[in-house]
Amino acid sequence: MADTRSRLGVPPLPPPPSPPPTTTVLHLRLDPAAADDERYLVRMWLRHATTEAIWESEGEPLSLDEVREELIRRLADVARSLDGTGPGCPTRPALERVEFHVPFELLETAFDQWAVPRRSKTRPLGMLYEVVVRCPEERRDDPVAWDQWARKWSWLQARGGKHAQAVRVVRDEDVTDVLGVDLGADVAPACVVAGSSPDRASDVLDAVLEGGVPVAVWQRAGNGAETDLAALLPADSGGLAALDVLALPRRVLLLRRTAAREQGRAAERLALLWDDPDCTIATRSLA
């Protein structure tokens, strides 16, 4: 090989790129306990290099307030378990993300605003970690949407998260009965940015799931003026065409951290659907 390179005047091949670091993620899955019951059966697991079961409600449904309290307890346990590699170890993993696997009706729940105690204060969960929502169970019932979901995610990863057609802005006039069919017609888009009014968010999310789109960003309804997400999300002048979709969990975290100082209350209402089909567990419903 060296002789061939010398004869052709080709420089040595660069070393292969290092694999991307594994994100340490705490997953929470919430299943409705029963029809007309606002309580949920809960399973938690930690995913890093391996997948580790953390806790399960074992048939005892919880209210969302009780889920938050249990999450706070488990966050402390996870921190202690990740600290087990020893203080000062440069490769010691840290919890980076909390992912909520929820039914459709909970997608707009402000999990990122759940108060978490820190010393003598409380902080929003979404200020401490990347907080995203997921809806994989809604996709399992539709084989076509499931296939589109996998293809779009593979296409996005193969392009490193960036492509001029990766992101589509959906505005009020785009929200029609066939929006989901339109979104699923090709591998692009892989991300939807809702430029629609917050009261149309449910319709946009329904179309996102029907079209197999794995990533969506929208603004929940609330006090304060609506924000132009197409202008807020890009970190540079490249605009949405240059947006790194795979970096959105980190980008949204940074926006949430600076919400009070730079964006008023607008960024506090940011919601991110982050449905990685390669990082889910096919299990039966807990209900």
Side-chain angles (χ1 to χ4, degrees), residues 63-79:
S63 68
L64 287 181
D65 285 340
E66 291 170 327
V67 175
R68 183 188 68 84
E69 293 170 2
E70 193 61 47
L71 171 61
I72 291 171
R73 284 191 285 270
R74 299 304 153 185
L75 285 172
D77 292 344
V78 167

PDB file of all heavy atoms in Angstrom, residues 63-79:
ATOM      1  N   SER A  63     -49.925  10.209  38.906  1.00  0.00           N
ATOM      2  CA  SER A  63     -50.278  11.488  38.293  1.00  0.00           C
ATOM      3  C   SER A  63     -49.002  12.117  37.748  1.00  0.00           C
ATOM      4  O   SER A  63     -47.885  11.702  38.082  1.00  0.00           O
ATOM      5  CB  SER A  63     -50.917  12.411  39.331  1.00  0.00           C
ATOM      6  OG  SER A  63     -49.945  12.786  40.307  1.00  0.00           O
ATOM      7  N   LEU A  64     -49.152  13.139  36.920  1.00  0.00           N
ATOM      8  CA  LEU A  64     -47.959  13.803  36.385  1.00  0.00           C
ATOM      9  C   LEU A  64     -47.134  14.441  37.494  1.00  0.00           C
ATOM     10  O   LEU A  64     -45.898  14.451  37.429  1.00  0.00           O
ATOM     11  CB  LEU A  64     -48.366  14.854  35.349  1.00  0.00           C
ATOM     12  CG  LEU A  64     -48.851  14.314  33.999  1.00  0.00           C
ATOM     13  CD1 LEU A  64     -49.201  15.468  33.065  1.00  0.00           C
ATOM     14  CD2 LEU A  64     -47.821  13.398  33.352  1.00  0.00           C
ATOM     15  N   ASP A  65     -47.783  14.959  38.538  1.00  0.00           N
ATOM     16  CA  ASP A  65     -47.026  15.503  39.677  1.00  0.00           C
ATOM     17  C   ASP A  65     -46.207  14.404  40.344  1.00  0.00           C
ATOM     18  O   ASP A  65     -45.056  14.634  40.743  1.00  0.00           O
ATOM     19  CB  ASP A  65     -47.974  16.140  40.692  1.00  0.00           C
ATOM     20  CG  ASP A  65     -48.521  17.487  40.226  1.00  0.00           C
ATOM     21  OD1 ASP A  65     -47.900  18.091  39.327  1.00  0.00           O
ATOM     22  OD2 ASP A  65     -49.564  17.920  40.765  1.00  0.00           O
ATOM     23  N   GLU A  66     -46.776  13.219  40.467  1.00  0.00           N
ATOM     24  CA  GLU A  66     -46.040  12.101  41.082  1.00  0.00           C
ATOM     25  C   GLU A  66     -44.918  11.617  40.169  1.00  0.00           C
ATOM     26  O   GLU A  66     -43.851  11.210  40.650  1.00  0.00           O
ATOM     27  CB  GLU A  66     -47.005  10.966  41.395  1.00  0.00           C
ATOM     28  CG  GLU A  66     -47.978  11.302  42.520  1.00  0.00           C
ATOM     29  CD  GLU A  66     -49.082  10.263  42.663  1.00  0.00           C
ATOM     30  OE1 GLU A  66     -49.507   9.681  41.636  1.00  0.00           O
ATOM     31  OE2 GLU A  66     -49.531  10.044  43.807  1.00  0.00           O
ATOM     32  N   VAL A  67     -45.125  11.690  38.854  1.00  0.00           N
ATOM     33  CA  VAL A  67     -44.053  11.342  37.921  1.00  0.00           C
ATOM     34  C   VAL A  67     -42.880  12.303  38.100  1.00  0.00           C
ATOM     35  O   VAL A  67     -41.718  11.894  38.113  1.00  0.00           O
ATOM     36  CB  VAL A  67     -44.554  11.369  36.465  1.00  0.00           C
ATOM     37  CG1 VAL A  67     -43.399  11.127  35.496  1.00  0.00           C
ATOM     38  CG2 VAL A  67     -45.642  10.321  36.249  1.00  0.00           C
ATOM     39  N   ARG A  68     -43.183  13.590  38.235  1.00  0.00           N
ATOM     40  CA  ARG A  68     -42.117  14.577  38.439  1.00  0.00           C
ATOM     41  C   ARG A  68     -41.338  14.285  39.715  1.00  0.00           C
ATOM     42  O   ARG A  68     -40.098  14.324  39.732  1.00  0.00           O
ATOM     43  CB  ARG A  68     -42.706  15.991  38.494  1.00  0.00           C
ATOM     44  CG  ARG A  68     -41.637  17.090  38.627  1.00  0.00           C
ATOM     45  CD  ARG A  68     -42.264  18.454  38.867  1.00  0.00           C
ATOM     46  NE  ARG A  68     -42.894  18.540  40.171  1.00  0.00           N
ATOM     47  CZ  ARG A  68     -42.239  18.837  41.300  1.00  0.00           C
ATOM     48  NH1 ARG A  68     -40.937  19.062  41.275  1.00  0.00           N
ATOM     49  NH2 ARG A  68     -42.877  18.889  42.432  1.00  0.00           N
ATOM     50  N   GLU A  69     -42.052  13.967  40.801  1.00  0.00           N
ATOM     51  CA  GLU A  69     -41.376  13.676  42.062  1.00  0.00           C
ATOM     52  C   GLU A  69     -40.483  12.441  41.942  1.00  0.00           C
ATOM     53  O   GLU A  69     -39.363  12.412  42.467  1.00  0.00           O
ATOM     54  CB  GLU A  69     -42.416  13.483  43.173  1.00  0.00           C
ATOM     55  CG  GLU A  69     -43.186  14.761  43.514  1.00  0.00           C
ATOM     56  CD  GLU A  69     -44.367  14.504  44.426  1.00  0.00           C
ATOM     57  OE1 GLU A  69     -44.552  13.328  44.826  1.00  0.00           O
ATOM     58  OE2 GLU A  69     -45.112  15.455  44.726  1.00  0.00           O
ATOM     59  N   GLU A  70     -40.974  11.420  41.239  1.00  0.00           N
ATOM     60  CA  GLU A  70     -40.176  10.214  41.058  1.00  0.00           C
ATOM     61  C   GLU A  70     -38.967  10.504  40.176  1.00  0.00           C
ATOM     62  O   GLU A  70     -37.871   9.983  40.408  1.00  0.00           O
ATOM     63  CB  GLU A  70     -41.028   9.100  40.450  1.00  0.00           C
ATOM     64  CG  GLU A  70     -40.399   7.724  40.511  1.00  0.00           C
ATOM     65  CD  GLU A  70     -40.131   7.261  41.936  1.00  0.00           C
ATOM     66  OE1 GLU A  70     -41.037   7.387  42.789  1.00  0.00           O
ATOM     67  OE2 GLU A  70     -38.999   6.791  42.192  1.00  0.00           O
ATOM     68  N   LEU A  71     -39.160  11.325  39.161  1.00  0.00           N
ATOM     69  CA  LEU A  71     -38.041  11.685  38.298  1.00  0.00           C
ATOM     70  C   LEU A  71     -36.945  12.383  39.088  1.00  0.00           C
ATOM     71  O   LEU A  71     -35.750  12.105  38.895  1.00  0.00           O
ATOM     72  CB  LEU A  71     -38.537  12.590  37.168  1.00  0.00           C
ATOM     73  CG  LEU A  71     -37.450  13.235  36.291  1.00  0.00           C
ATOM     74  CD1 LEU A  71     -36.609  12.175  35.592  1.00  0.00           C
ATOM     75  CD2 LEU A  71     -38.073  14.189  35.278  1.00  0.00           C
ATOM     76  N   ILE A  72     -37.318  13.288  39.971  1.00  0.00           N
ATOM     77  CA  ILE A  72     -36.317  13.990  40.781  1.00  0.00           C
ATOM     78  C   ILE A  72     -35.498  12.995  41.594  1.00  0.00           C
ATOM     79  O   ILE A  72     -34.269  13.089  41.690  1.00  0.00           O
ATOM     80  CB  ILE A  72     -37.003  15.022  41.701  1.00  0.00           C
ATOM     81  CG1 ILE A  72     -37.563  16.173  40.852  1.00  0.00           C
ATOM     82  CG2 ILE A  72     -36.035  15.552  42.748  1.00  0.00           C
ATOM     83  CD1 ILE A  72     -38.438  17.131  41.627  1.00  0.00           C
ATOM     84  N   ARG A  73     -36.180  12.012  42.187  1.00  0.00           N
ATOM     85  CA  ARG A  73     -35.447  10.990  42.967  1.00  0.00           C
ATOM     86  C   ARG A  73     -34.501  10.212  42.062  1.00  0.00           C
ATOM     87  O   ARG A  73     -33.358   9.920  42.426  1.00  0.00           O
ATOM     88  CB  ARG A  73     -36.436  10.048  43.646  1.00  0.00           C
ATOM     89  CG  ARG A  73     -37.114  10.635  44.869  1.00  0.00           C
ATOM     90  CD  ARG A  73     -37.865   9.571  45.651  1.00  0.00           C
ATOM     91  NE  ARG A  73     -39.113   9.197  44.989  1.00  0.00           N
ATOM     92  CZ  ARG A  73     -40.290   9.797  45.217  1.00  0.00           C
ATOM     93  NH1 ARG A  73     -40.358  10.824  46.050  1.00  0.00           N
ATOM     94  NH2 ARG A  73     -41.381   9.393  44.603  1.00  0.00           N
ATOM     95  N   ARG A  74     -34.967   9.854  40.878  1.00  0.00           N
ATOM     96  CA  ARG A  74     -34.147   9.025  39.985  1.00  0.00           C
ATOM     97  C   ARG A  74     -32.992   9.821  39.392  1.00  0.00           C
ATOM     98  O   ARG A  74     -31.942   9.254  39.090  1.00  0.00           O
ATOM     99  CB  ARG A  74     -35.011   8.436  38.870  1.00  0.00           C
ATOM    100  CG  ARG A  74     -36.121   7.542  39.394  1.00  0.00           C
ATOM    101  CD  ARG A  74     -35.594   6.415  40.262  1.00  0.00           C
ATOM    102  NE  ARG A  74     -36.606   5.974  41.228  1.00  0.00           N
ATOM    103  CZ  ARG A  74     -36.377   5.078  42.175  1.00  0.00           C
ATOM    104  NH1 ARG A  74     -35.185   4.520  42.292  1.00  0.00           N
ATOM    105  NH2 ARG A  74     -37.335   4.754  43.039  1.00  0.00           N
ATOM    106  N   LEU A  75     -33.150  11.122  39.206  1.00  0.00           N
ATOM    107  CA  LEU A  75     -32.037  11.941  38.726  1.00  0.00           C
ATOM    108  C   LEU A  75     -30.875  11.892  39.704  1.00  0.00           C
ATOM    109  O   LEU A  75     -29.706  11.821  39.291  1.00  0.00           O
ATOM    110  CB  LEU A  75     -32.493  13.390  38.525  1.00  0.00           C
ATOM    111  CG  LEU A  75     -33.361  13.674  37.296  1.00  0.00           C
ATOM    112  CD1 LEU A  75     -33.892  15.100  37.348  1.00  0.00           C
ATOM    113  CD2 LEU A  75     -32.581  13.441  36.012  1.00  0.00           C
ATOM    114  N   ALA A  76     -31.176  11.916  40.980  1.00  0.00           N
ATOM    115  CA  ALA A  76     -30.112  11.819  41.988  1.00  0.00           C
ATOM    116  C   ALA A  76     -29.441  10.452  41.934  1.00  0.00           C
ATOM    117  O   ALA A  76     -28.211  10.339  42.024  1.00  0.00           O
ATOM    118  CB  ALA A  76     -30.688  12.083  43.383  1.00  0.00           C
ATOM    119  N   ASP A  77     -30.240   9.390  41.764  1.00  0.00           N
ATOM    120  CA  ASP A  77     -29.666   8.046  41.668  1.00  0.00           C
ATOM    121  C   ASP A  77     -28.771   7.913  40.432  1.00  0.00           C
ATOM    122  O   ASP A  77     -27.696   7.314  40.490  1.00  0.00           O
ATOM    123  CB  ASP A  77     -30.782   7.001  41.594  1.00  0.00           C
ATOM    124  CG  ASP A  77     -31.575   6.886  42.885  1.00  0.00           C
ATOM    125  OD1 ASP A  77     -31.078   7.375  43.928  1.00  0.00           O
ATOM    126  OD2 ASP A  77     -32.678   6.321  42.850  1.00  0.00           O
ATOM    127  N   VAL A  78     -29.229   8.472  39.314  1.00  0.00           N
ATOM    128  CA  VAL A  78     -28.447   8.388  38.082  1.00  0.00           C
ATOM    129  C   VAL A  78     -27.131   9.130  38.233  1.00  0.00           C
ATOM    130  O   VAL A  78     -26.079   8.646  37.813  1.00  0.00           O
ATOM    131  CB  VAL A  78     -29.267   8.953  36.903  1.00  0.00           C
ATOM    132  CG1 VAL A  78     -28.373   9.177  35.681  1.00  0.00           C
ATOM    133  CG2 VAL A  78     -30.408   8.018  36.551  1.00  0.00           C
ATOM    134  N   ALA A  79     -27.176  10.309  38.850  1.00  0.00           N
ATOM    135  CA  ALA A  79     -25.947  11.073  39.054  1.00  0.00           C
ATOM    136  C   ALA A  79     -24.942  10.285  39.882  1.00  0.00           C
ATOM    137  O   ALA A  79     -23.745  10.252  39.576  1.00  0.00           O
ATOM    138  CB  ALA A  79     -26.262  12.408  39.730  1.00  0.00           C
TER     139      ALA A  79
END
